[in-house]
Amino acid sequence: MNQPSEKTIAVLDKTIIVSLFVLTAFSMFSISITQISGGVGGLAWLLRTHLTESWSEQRWPLGIPFGLYVLACLIAVADAYDVGYSYPALKKLFEILIFFWVINCVQRKRLRDSLIILLIISATVAGLYGFYQAWQNGVNLEVRVEGTMSTYMTFAGLLMIVGMLSLGRMIFRRPHEMWLWPSIAIIAVCLLLTLTRQAWVGFLTGLIFLLFTWKKKLFLIFSVSIMIVVLVFSHQVTNGIQNLVSGKPDPNNSFMWNLKYRFQDMLSGNDSTFSMRKALWLGGWEIFKDHPLTGCGFSCVDLVHSQYPDPTGLIARLRGMHNNFIQLAVDTGILGLSAWMGIWFCFFSLLYKRVTALKEDSHERGIILGSMAAALAFLAGGFFESNFYDSEVIMVLYLVMALPFAGSTNDKIESVEKA
């Protein structure tokens, strides 16, 4: 095979680098530009690898679990209720390439650090635009802050993921970067303005993980103290919280009234949206029982929902399960759900090995733990929303997941990855 010219390789290298920066910068603003840049950069990477015959040099962490998930999806579609209706969803599998593209093309820590800073700045700018929306239109349950995205749930999911990465960098990187505090504050406040509770749950989960990892003893003492206070003074605490958040939603009321009402619903046990989700989950369980092994195929609920009891009418109206685990069980069965969960098990196991191999003061800790926190936040939020099916969210998640594996690594870390 003829060796490619240096000019061709140089063009491909520049294409890859530009695509990485464009994808990172626009991931908070435009799904079209993000997908185009990811596609162009991914193709340039594959072409460069082919021309230089360097396939053996490419790194594929999580290659086996991702491969098993792809295989399970193909089987689910082949055995779907309606193959023609389900197979278009397979195009989402190409988003997985973002993970491996970033790992293999971001080979220097300086480049990786630039992408992280750019992503945080992009989220900060998007958050500021969310503030502008809140100032212009107000914030209530009828008009929520959607920021730069088409829906508030997508916008909240993006803020949640980047917020975790920012917090990881802020807590563990030395010396501290004080410019991160305003960015984190903007992201966190804008997340509140979306009134999206599943993203709040995810953010809180990731935050607890980071605080526990940072100061284990202090965190445990603080947590035990709170538990003792709640157990001893449970009645007073409950009444105090209910009085604090009492109020009813009103489109004409302020953001604080609507924020209080969202918390009140969560604490009262009479949350209408949670009741809606339970109805969807029960309906999904009924569908899953008829297609347990491979599911009924992607989007199959659109076609089969009329064959099952739906007293609330929610399944017919929403056609989604509002839960990643149940949605995947319905669409891909036990095979797909098990493979998908295997991705996360391997991801956290591998990063745990990497972080324990590092020195306590290593800059890598912030990236690794921030990435883990982002994944935990995503999974926690995914108990109440099918955010895995949201392309904008999952593309940023794959980018953040890839960061701990990207950049130059020393021999000790390389040996951990291969273990």
mmCIF file of all heavy atoms in Angstrom, residues 76-90 296-299 303:
data_model
loop_
_atom_site.group_PDB
_atom_site.id
_atom_site.type_symbol
_atom_site.label_atom_id
_atom_site.label_comp_id
_atom_site.label_asym_id
_atom_site.label_seq_id
_atom_site.Cartn_x
_atom_site.Cartn_y
_atom_site.Cartn_z
ATOM 1 N N ALA A 76 -32.229 -6.823 18.912
ATOM 2 C CA ALA A 76 -33.546 -6.308 19.285
ATOM 3 C C ALA A 76 -34.306 -5.799 18.064
ATOM 4 O O ALA A 76 -35.512 -6.023 17.929
ATOM 5 C CB ALA A 76 -33.390 -5.187 20.315
ATOM 6 N N VAL A 77 -33.603 -5.129 17.173
ATOM 7 C CA VAL A 77 -34.255 -4.611 15.965
ATOM 8 C C VAL A 77 -34.608 -5.757 15.013
ATOM 9 O O VAL A 77 -35.688 -5.760 14.399
ATOM 10 C CB VAL A 77 -33.351 -3.568 15.269
ATOM 11 C CG1 VAL A 77 -33.889 -3.232 13.879
ATOM 12 C CG2 VAL A 77 -33.252 -2.314 16.118
ATOM 13 N N ALA A 78 -33.711 -6.744 14.894
ATOM 14 C CA ALA A 78 -33.989 -7.884 14.012
ATOM 15 C C ALA A 78 -35.212 -8.669 14.475
ATOM 16 O O ALA A 78 -35.932 -9.255 13.664
ATOM 17 C CB ALA A 78 -32.771 -8.804 13.964
ATOM 18 N N ASP A 79 -35.456 -8.661 15.797
ATOM 19 C CA ASP A 79 -36.585 -9.397 16.364
ATOM 20 C C ASP A 79 -37.703 -8.454 16.803
ATOM 21 O O ASP A 79 -38.539 -8.811 17.632
ATOM 22 C CB ASP A 79 -36.099 -10.228 17.549
ATOM 23 C CG ASP A 79 -37.134 -11.264 18.001
ATOM 24 O OD1 ASP A 79 -37.795 -11.867 17.128
ATOM 25 O OD2 ASP A 79 -37.294 -11.439 19.224
ATOM 26 N N ALA A 80 -37.716 -7.249 16.255
ATOM 27 C CA ALA A 80 -38.660 -6.223 16.693
ATOM 28 C C ALA A 80 -40.085 -6.528 16.251
ATOM 29 O O ALA A 80 -40.325 -7.305 15.315
ATOM 30 C CB ALA A 80 -38.242 -4.861 16.141
ATOM 31 N N TYR A 81 -41.020 -5.886 16.920
ATOM 32 C CA TYR A 81 -42.437 -5.995 16.556
ATOM 33 C C TYR A 81 -42.637 -5.535 15.124
ATOM 34 O O TYR A 81 -43.407 -6.114 14.372
ATOM 35 C CB TYR A 81 -43.265 -5.146 17.526
ATOM 36 C CG TYR A 81 -44.755 -5.206 17.292
ATOM 37 C CD1 TYR A 81 -45.524 -6.238 17.812
ATOM 38 C CD2 TYR A 81 -45.399 -4.217 16.541
ATOM 39 C CE1 TYR A 81 -46.889 -6.290 17.600
ATOM 40 C CE2 TYR A 81 -46.757 -4.260 16.324
ATOM 41 C CZ TYR A 81 -47.498 -5.297 16.848
ATOM 42 O OH TYR A 81 -48.857 -5.343 16.625
ATOM 43 N N ASP A 82 -41.935 -4.477 14.723
ATOM 44 C CA ASP A 82 -41.953 -3.978 13.353
ATOM 45 C C ASP A 82 -40.543 -3.502 13.027
ATOM 46 O O ASP A 82 -40.128 -2.418 13.455
ATOM 47 C CB ASP A 82 -42.963 -2.837 13.212
ATOM 48 C CG ASP A 82 -43.144 -2.382 11.769
ATOM 49 O OD1 ASP A 82 -42.161 -2.413 11.006
ATOM 50 O OD2 ASP A 82 -44.269 -2.001 11.398
ATOM 51 N N VAL A 83 -39.798 -4.307 12.285
ATOM 52 C CA VAL A 83 -38.398 -4.007 11.989
ATOM 53 C C VAL A 83 -38.268 -2.661 11.269
ATOM 54 O O VAL A 83 -37.394 -1.847 11.591
ATOM 55 C CB VAL A 83 -37.765 -5.129 11.140
ATOM 56 C CG1 VAL A 83 -36.337 -4.758 10.734
ATOM 57 C CG2 VAL A 83 -37.785 -6.440 11.904
ATOM 58 N N GLY A 84 -39.132 -2.429 10.308
ATOM 59 C CA GLY A 84 -39.059 -1.199 9.535
ATOM 60 C C GLY A 84 -39.273 0.041 10.376
ATOM 61 O O GLY A 84 -38.714 1.107 10.080
ATOM 62 N N TYR A 85 -40.054 -0.093 11.428
ATOM 63 C CA TYR A 85 -40.337 1.046 12.296
ATOM 64 C C TYR A 85 -39.210 1.275 13.299
ATOM 65 O O TYR A 85 -38.986 2.406 13.734
ATOM 66 C CB TYR A 85 -41.650 0.812 13.036
ATOM 67 C CG TYR A 85 -42.249 2.057 13.654
ATOM 68 C CD1 TYR A 85 -42.940 2.980 12.872
ATOM 69 C CD2 TYR A 85 -42.123 2.311 15.016
ATOM 70 C CE1 TYR A 85 -43.491 4.122 13.429
ATOM 71 C CE2 TYR A 85 -42.667 3.449 15.583
ATOM 72 C CZ TYR A 85 -43.358 4.351 14.787
ATOM 73 O OH TYR A 85 -43.897 5.484 15.347
ATOM 74 N N SER A 86 -38.493 0.208 13.658
ATOM 75 C CA SER A 86 -37.485 0.293 14.719
ATOM 76 C C SER A 86 -36.079 0.608 14.218
ATOM 77 O O SER A 86 -35.293 1.237 14.922
ATOM 78 C CB SER A 86 -37.440 -1.017 15.514
ATOM 79 O OG SER A 86 -38.625 -1.210 16.249
ATOM 80 N N TYR A 87 -35.737 0.165 13.002
ATOM 81 C CA TYR A 87 -34.332 0.254 12.599
ATOM 82 C C TYR A 87 -33.786 1.676 12.457
ATOM 83 O O TYR A 87 -32.570 1.894 12.643
ATOM 84 C CB TYR A 87 -34.085 -0.548 11.317
ATOM 85 C CG TYR A 87 -34.316 0.193 10.028
ATOM 86 C CD1 TYR A 87 -33.311 0.977 9.477
ATOM 87 C CD2 TYR A 87 -35.537 0.118 9.351
ATOM 88 C CE1 TYR A 87 -33.516 1.662 8.288
ATOM 89 C CE2 TYR A 87 -35.745 0.798 8.178
ATOM 90 C CZ TYR A 87 -34.738 1.576 7.645
ATOM 91 O OH TYR A 87 -34.947 2.252 6.482
ATOM 92 N N PRO A 88 -34.593 2.723 12.135
ATOM 93 C CA PRO A 88 -33.998 4.065 12.048
ATOM 94 C C PRO A 88 -33.324 4.510 13.346
ATOM 95 O O PRO A 88 -32.384 5.310 13.313
ATOM 96 C CB PRO A 88 -35.198 4.959 11.716
ATOM 97 C CG PRO A 88 -36.141 4.048 10.984
ATOM 98 C CD PRO A 88 -36.006 2.733 11.672
ATOM 99 N N ALA A 89 -33.762 3.988 14.483
ATOM 100 C CA ALA A 89 -33.162 4.386 15.763
ATOM 101 C C ALA A 89 -31.732 3.901 15.904
ATOM 102 O O ALA A 89 -30.978 4.405 16.756
ATOM 103 C CB ALA A 89 -34.009 3.857 16.920
ATOM 104 N N LEU A 90 -31.319 2.945 15.085
ATOM 105 C CA LEU A 90 -29.955 2.423 15.165
ATOM 106 C C LEU A 90 -28.901 3.482 14.831
ATOM 107 O O LEU A 90 -27.739 3.332 15.191
ATOM 108 C CB LEU A 90 -29.786 1.226 14.228
ATOM 109 C CG LEU A 90 -30.525 -0.061 14.629
ATOM 110 C CD1 LEU A 90 -30.360 -1.117 13.541
ATOM 111 C CD2 LEU A 90 -30.025 -0.587 15.972
ATOM 112 N N CYS A 296 -39.253 -5.382 22.259
ATOM 113 C CA CYS A 296 -40.097 -5.312 21.062
ATOM 114 C C CYS A 296 -39.567 -4.310 20.041
ATOM 115 O O CYS A 296 -40.244 -3.960 19.086
ATOM 116 C CB CYS A 296 -41.545 -4.975 21.433
ATOM 117 S SG CYS A 296 -41.770 -3.435 22.334
ATOM 118 N N GLY A 297 -38.326 -3.825 20.253
ATOM 119 C CA GLY A 297 -37.714 -2.929 19.270
ATOM 120 C C GLY A 297 -37.881 -1.465 19.644
ATOM 121 O O GLY A 297 -38.800 -1.081 20.365
ATOM 122 N N PHE A 298 -36.983 -0.644 19.142
ATOM 123 C CA PHE A 298 -37.043 0.789 19.428
ATOM 124 C C PHE A 298 -38.344 1.394 18.893
ATOM 125 O O PHE A 298 -38.803 1.053 17.799
ATOM 126 C CB PHE A 298 -35.841 1.500 18.805
ATOM 127 C CG PHE A 298 -34.533 1.115 19.426
ATOM 128 C CD1 PHE A 298 -33.652 0.277 18.747
ATOM 129 C CD2 PHE A 298 -34.180 1.565 20.688
ATOM 130 C CE1 PHE A 298 -32.442 -0.089 19.306
ATOM 131 C CE2 PHE A 298 -32.968 1.202 21.265
ATOM 132 C CZ PHE A 298 -32.102 0.362 20.577
ATOM 133 N N SER A 299 -38.928 2.279 19.699
ATOM 134 C CA SER A 299 -40.185 2.985 19.355
ATOM 135 C C SER A 299 -41.369 2.044 19.238
ATOM 136 O O SER A 299 -42.414 2.440 18.721
ATOM 137 C CB SER A 299 -40.022 3.766 18.039
ATOM 138 O OG SER A 299 -38.934 4.668 18.108
ATOM 139 N N LEU A 303 -46.544 1.402 18.591
ATOM 140 C CA LEU A 303 -47.344 0.435 17.841
ATOM 141 C C LEU A 303 -48.137 -0.518 18.736
ATOM 142 O O LEU A 303 -49.205 -0.975 18.339
ATOM 143 C CB LEU A 303 -46.435 -0.386 16.916
ATOM 144 C CG LEU A 303 -45.530 0.419 15.968
ATOM 145 C CD1 LEU A 303 -44.616 -0.524 15.184
ATOM 146 C CD2 LEU A 303 -46.365 1.260 15.014
#
